[in-house]
Amino acid sequence: MFHDPRFWSAVAFVLFFVLFGRSLWKPLVNALDGRAERIRAELDEAARLRREAEQMLEDATRDREAALAEAKELVEHSLREAANIAAQARKDAEDTATRREQMAKDRISQAERSALREVRETAVDIAIQATRETLAASLQSDADVDGKIVDKSINDLPGALSQRAA
């Protein structure tokens, strides 16, 4: 056993740690404690960053939902406005068509009245001309009858004029 090199290596190892262990142990523990503290600080920082990231994600999600709701509301409002504008345009077109139809009916009615008036005036002119021709032919044949016809015509004149005025 004393001649075995492993024995002496083990004794040297133990003596080394007994003699220098305390002076080596303290820096080693301090280095490990410092590293542990750094790791703990990095973990705390990572946890803080994770909380911030989660908060930012929640905020972004909330903002996105609000934006989607606002966009949906805008689309619905636009659709309602478009429907209102279309309904108003239809109503305006119907009103315009009704007005134009009424104006056309009024023009037709006025043209009918004007045509009737012209026909009546033409008929009256023709009747007057025929009466003149008849009276002229009659007057040439009979003078006594002529006086009676003239007297009768003069008496009938106020009635004929009142009929024509109506």
Side-chain angles (χ1 to χ4, degrees), residues 3-14:
H3 296 300
D4 188 13
R6 280 186 276 169
F7 171 73
W8 290 111
S9 291
V11 169
F13 184 75
V14 170

Side-chain angles (χ1 to χ4, degrees), residues 74-88:
L74 284 173
V75 167
E76 290 173 355
H77 178 69
S78 297
L79 289 175
R80 284 192 305 268
E81 284 296 315
N84 289 342
I85 289 170
Q88 185 63 38

Side-chain angles (χ1 to χ4, degrees), residues 84-143:
N84 289 342
I85 289 170
Q88 185 63 38
R90 257 187 253 110
K91 182 180 177 291
D92 291 346
E94 289 173 0
D95 290 346
T96 301
T98 303
R99 260 194 322 274
R100 287 186 180 174
E101 181 182 356
Q102 186 59 42
M103 286 174 23
K105 286 179 181 179
D106 290 345
R107 286 184 193 149
I108 291 170
S109 175
Q110 185 179 7
E112 287 175 350
R113 286 193 303 271
S114 177
L116 279 174
R117 191 177 320 112
E118 286 180 24
V119 168
R120 284 182 185 154
E121 288 174 359
T122 304
V124 168
D125 290 342
I126 291 172
I128 290 173
Q129 184 62 33
T131 304
R132 279 187 193 151
E133 289 174 4
T134 305
L135 283 175
S138 277
L139 287 177
Q140 289 175 354
S141 64
D142 197 4

Side-chain angles (χ1 to χ4, degrees), residues 26-80:
K26 211 174 226 185
L28 185 62
V29 168
N30 285 341
L32 289 175
D33 285 345
R35 184 165 183 219
E37 189 62 36
R38 275 195 324 271
I39 290 172
R40 194 174 302 115
E42 287 175 2
L43 286 174
D44 289 344
E45 178 69 15
R48 184 185 64 79
L49 289 174
R50 181 182 175 144
R51 283 191 303 273
E52 286 178 10
E54 287 173 349
Q55 184 63 38
M56 289 172 68
L57 177 64
E58 288 176 11
D59 292 345
T61 303
R62 199 172 28 253
D63 290 346
R64 184 179 65 77
E65 289 173 358
L68 286 174
E70 184 178 348
K72 183 179 178 183
E73 184 179 326
L74 284 173
V75 167
E76 290 173 355
H77 178 69
S78 297
L79 289 175
R80 284 192 305 268

